[in-house]
Amino acid sequence: MRQFAVIFVDALRLLRARALFWITLGISLLAGVTYLSIGFSDHGMTVMFGAMELENPAITRGSEMAGMVYFGVFAMFIVPIWLSWVAVILALINCSPVFPEFMAEGAAGTVLSKPIPRWKLFLFKYLCGLLFALLQTSAFCLLVFFAMRWRVGTWNLSVFWAVPLVTLMFSYLWSVMAAVGVKTKSVMASMLASLLFWLTCWTAKLSEEIAWSAAETGMVGNLQLSAGQQAKWKQNQLLMELPYRILPKTSDTVNLLQRFVRLEGDREFSLSEIVSALEDGAPRKDPAIDAAVERRSTGFILGSSLAFELVVLGWGGWMFCRRDF
């Protein structure tokens, strides 16, 4: 534990010395204040501390839907856009020099001259990157936690589910960055590899959604397929879904937040109720929409993603242990 503490403090000093570390914190604070600016009045929802008002009788101050809509903004916009894209990209940029700079001539040799196994050193460096992402997400969720208390009057601990989920999603990309960083000793190569890998995961998810929709519902976007076309999609569905099944589920991992959240009175999150309330002011449940959120099991999403990550980490650790310093 002492060895890990020393390595973590050293990594934290390296990150703090970079201007991007403070820029990231500033942007996180700005995003949190923006979320805090959303509130509710007697006529509907307000934005920018009351500067704008969106009239809607279903989501007024103190209404049952106010809490669900407020958390919906967090679960469907803040988490997927800010925590899952902007914050992760900034975290990757911050962490990208960790392994390449450590692999530089002379840097690793100093540490390895001390009695610490190479595999443990690799693991400690990897965990340092995860802790950075975890601390960044935790600070943001803490602000959201108090914002929900102020705006809708509830202490909703389920917002903190975003911390392990976003950290897990980051870990999929961080494992690739770490392995490529060990292999190439290049900050740019490891950064580009992780972004390309992320794009590949997103493309695999999009391909899976199109294949499932075409085979099961006969729809591709707004296009209605014929019976023959739908049958062909069913024949090729497994092949189309194969990359998705193998690769980590980046977006699905974060979207698990919508399953785990519990609102006031242990009420479940309902995407269909939010959509209908915002459209016409009448919240209605649509089982088809809500069921689509849980189409893949939690075990499959996390299990297959972590299995892929372990393979990549094993490859990176093996190269690190065999590298000459």
Side-chain angles (χ1 to χ4, degrees):
M1 183 58 69
R2 183 180 178 183
Q3 292 174 330
F4 173 72
V6 172
I7 293 174
F8 175 71
V9 170
D10 181 65
L12 188 60
R13 286 173 179 169
L14 175 66
L15 293 173
R16 287 174 58 190
R18 301 178 184 278
L20 188 58
F21 177 83
W22 302 106
I23 294 174
T24 302
L25 290 180
I27 296 176
S28 296
L29 179 61
L30 179 62
V33 171
T34 301
Y35 180 73
L36 190 65
S37 73
I38 301 173
F40 301 93
S41 67
D42 295 333
H43 305 287
M45 185 168 64
T46 62
V47 184
M48 299 305 295
F49 298 103
M52 296 176 58
E53 185 176 61
L54 307 174
E55 295 188 7
N56 191 315
I59 53 175
T60 56
R61 183 190 295 119
S63 66
E64 186 180 16
M65 283 300 299
M68 182 168 296
V69 170
Y70 199 65
F71 189 87
V73 173
F74 174 70
M76 297 189 300
F77 295 99
I78 301 295
V79 171
I81 296 174
W82 168 249
L83 289 180
S84 301
W85 281 94
V86 181
V88 167
I89 290 175
L90 291 175
L92 287 173
I93 295 174
N94 266 316
C95 295
S96 59
V98 170
F99 277 98
E101 290 189 1
F102 182 71
M103 300 292 294
E105 185 175 353
T110 303
V111 179
L112 289 172
S113 63
K114 301 175 183 179
I116 179 173
R118 288 193 176 192
W119 66 267
K120 185 181 289 188
L121 181 58
F122 175 81
L123 182 62
F124 284 174
K125 283 285 185 180
Y126 175 75
L127 291 177
C128 286
L130 290 187
L131 276 177
F132 173 75
L134 187 144
L135 291 173
Q136 183 181 21
T137 308
S138 299
F140 184 82
C141 288
L142 187 63
L143 182 59
V144 169
F145 177 70
F146 286 109
M148 294 195 71
R149 171 60 183 175
W150 181 27
R151 292 304 190 182
V152 298
T154 60
W155 295 109
N156 194 338
L157 290 172
S158 61
V159 300
F160 291 103
W161 273 113
V163 176
L165 292 177
V166 172
T167 304
L168 266 178
M169 183 263 200
F170 171 79
S171 73
Y172 308 152
L173 308 175
W174 175 224
S175 64
V176 173
M177 175 174 281
V180 176
V182 170
K183 176 68 175 178
T184 65
K185 300 183 182 181
S186 169
V187 175
M188 185 61 67
S190 60
M191 185 68 198
L192 290 177
S194 62
L195 293 178
L196 181 61
F197 177 71
W198 194 358
L199 177 62
T200 303
C201 293
W202 179 83
T203 304
K205 171 61 177 176
L206 180 62
S207 176
E208 185 270 343
E209 287 183 342
I210 294 174
W212 179 86
S213 179
E216 301 299 328
T217 68
M219 297 288 294
V220 176
N222 296 323
L223 178 63
Q224 178 67 54
L225 302 177
S226 66
Q229 290 174 322
Q230 185 176 359
K232 289 183 179 179
W233 275 98
K234 284 187 176 181
Q235 292 177 357
N236 299 319
Q237 183 178 3
L238 183 60
L239 181 62
M240 290 282 290
E241 292 181 352
L242 187 59
Y244 168 80
R245 292 176 179 271
I246 296 175
L247 294 172
K249 287 71 181 165
T250 52
S251 57
D252 281 351
T253 296
V254 174
N255 288 337
L256 288 175
L257 180 66
Q258 299 179 23
R259 306 188 195 184
F260 297 159
V261 65
R262 288 295 181 271
L263 304 175
E264 192 173 8
D266 203 37
R267 186 182 183 191
E268 293 184 355
F269 180 82
S270 173
L271 177 61
S272 61
E273 284 191 79
I274 293 179
V275 172
S276 59
L278 293 176
E279 286 181 347
D280 53 26
R284 298 178 303 274
K285 276 198 172 186
D286 186 335
I289 294 178
D290 293 334
V293 176
E294 302 185 9
R295 186 160 54 86
R296 298 290 184 180
S297 69
T298 302
F300 170 75
I301 293 172
L302 298 183
S304 57
S305 300
L306 290 173
F308 187 93
E309 181 178 356
L310 286 175
V311 171
V312 174
L313 277 180
W315 174 57
W318 176 79
M319 289 189 296
F320 185 83
C321 292
R322 290 175 59 87
R323 174 77 69 175
D324 290 329
F325 295 97

